[in-house]
Amino acid sequence: MGGFEGHLYPGLSLFFYGLYHTRLISRALICNYHVQYLPRHPWSKGRWARLQQIHYVGLVKILSTFILVAQELHNIRGPFVLITKMYHQRNFLYHKQWQHLTFYMTFFLSGCVDVVSQNLLPQRSAALEQGAQALGMFLILPLMVSHLQDSEGVELLCHILLIQALFLLLLVVIAELWAPNTLQLWVLKAFLYMITGSWLIQIGFMLFRPISGHKWMDDDKNDMIFVTTFFCWHVASLVIVMIWIYGFSFLWYCYIR
């Protein structure tokens, strides 16, 4: 996730995944569905019957992983190796790039689980998907904590706020394993996915492409204070977005559809 694109693309993936869950929650509230069980097409013997059973969100996760990995490898100059031997010493290279690739692999594994689990019963499919999400967050959180090394000032504060959202998301997905039908957990999960994605995008703009054209200064107290302020604005804005999605869904399912 180095550079502007390295923060933008993962942020968009997480944000749109949160929007997807928000739509599911809205439909569940309005139509009295179980949130985690997607409506499925009945099995048929037609030519395109198997395509109707594909979990397209899982395929999007897999495709996003390939795009993110290609973007990460494109920015590496020189041979991409894990260990190099120089002066009779073995040193690890590209430690942050390897962290990024490990981060992306959680998307890939989650997408594979989503696709494979479609052949199972809805309860087992949901349990596998929730377990994959919990495992992914369990891997991402320590990666982000170690990512704080060599960070300071604005960058450090931005990533601390990101880790705060990731830690809450980890707690929610773990709690969901024991309470899968709890609507409050699904609301929190959708919200935390969106805040993680939107804040990751914001980090990219603040560190690499500031909208004002002026670099954020680590020794400026006003800049440090406004980092937290912007994070709070993200929280408030996404609450409004979730309310708007629910309102639109209510009009769609009750009056338009």
Side-chain angles (χ1 to χ4, degrees):
M1 297 185 299
F4 175 73
E5 292 81 6
H7 289 79
L8 176 65
Y9 298 142
L12 287 174
S13 300
L14 292 171
F15 180 77
F16 283 117
Y17 190 61
L19 284 179
Y20 166 74
H21 279 289
T22 303
R23 186 184 69 86
L24 289 182
I25 294 166
S26 300
R27 183 175 59 182
L29 287 171
I30 297 168
C31 303
N32 196 25
Y33 288 160
H34 287 292
V35 186
Q36 73 273 29
Y37 300 149
L38 291 175
R40 297 189 179 185
H41 297 280
W43 285 99
S44 61
K45 297 182 179 180
R47 178 179 299 178
W48 307 106
R50 292 294 298 179
L51 290 178
Q52 294 179 350
Q53 303 299 324
I54 293 178
H55 196 298
Y56 293 105
V57 176
L59 290 180
V60 171
K61 289 181 184 179
I62 295 174
L63 179 61
S64 299
T65 301
F66 286 116
I67 296 174
L68 293 172
V69 170
Q71 184 271 332
E72 188 71 32
L73 296 178
H74 177 73
N75 294 329
I76 295 176
R77 300 292 182 262
F80 184 54
V81 295
L82 179 62
I83 300 177
T84 183
K85 185 177 180 180
M86 298 180 61
Y87 305 108
H88 304 286
Q89 294 182 351
R90 289 179 173 83
N91 299 317
F92 287 99
L93 295 180
Y94 303 110
H95 60 280
K96 288 198 172 183
Q97 284 75 12
W98 282 107
Q99 286 181 335
H100 300 162
L101 294 178
T102 306
F103 178 85
Y104 300 151
M105 288 308 297
T106 61
F107 290 171
F108 179 78
L109 293 177
S110 178
C112 291
V113 171
D114 290 346
V115 173
V116 173
S117 63
Q118 281 300 100
N119 296 323
L120 303 177
L121 295 175
Q123 293 86 348
R124 294 182 180 180
S125 174
L128 280 177
E129 294 170 13
Q130 292 160 5
Q133 290 183 34
L135 177 61
M137 298 312 305
F138 187 77
L139 295 176
I140 291 172
L141 189 60
L143 287 174
M144 292 305 303
V145 172
S146 65
H147 208 66
L148 294 179
Q149 296 183 14
D150 302 328
S151 300
E152 59 182 4
V154 173
E155 182 180 1
L156 178 61
L157 181 56
C158 287
H159 285 86
I160 288 176
L161 294 171
L162 178 64
I163 290 174
Q164 172 185 301
L166 288 172
F167 177 71
L168 293 175
L169 183 56
L170 174 62
L171 295 180
V172 169
V173 295
I174 290 177
E176 188 185 8
L177 294 176
W178 282 270
N181 296 322
T182 305
L183 183 63
Q184 292 87 340
L185 292 178
W186 270 74
V187 174
L188 284 174
K189 184 170 73 171
F191 171 76
L192 289 171
Y193 267 119
M194 286 197 296
I195 190 63
T196 301
S198 66
W199 187 243
L200 199 55
I201 297 171
Q202 181 70 51
I203 292 175
F205 278 102
M206 286 194 296
L207 297 182
F208 303 100
R209 293 187 184 179
I211 298 177
S212 63
H214 300 281
K215 182 180 178 181
W216 289 69
M217 305 303 296
D218 296 336
D219 56 354
D220 191 333
K221 292 184 178 180
N222 290 327
D223 285 357
M224 298 294 291
I225 292 173
F226 266 97
V227 170
T228 308
T229 303
F230 284 158
F231 182 80
C232 295
W233 288 354
H234 275 260
V235 172
S237 300
L238 291 176
V239 170
I240 296 174
V241 169
M242 294 186 73
I243 295 174
W244 182 86
I245 292 175
Y246 175 80
F248 179 81
S249 300
F250 181 81
L251 293 176
W252 176 261
Y253 288 108
C254 296
Y255 297 102
I256 300 177
R257 188 176 178 180

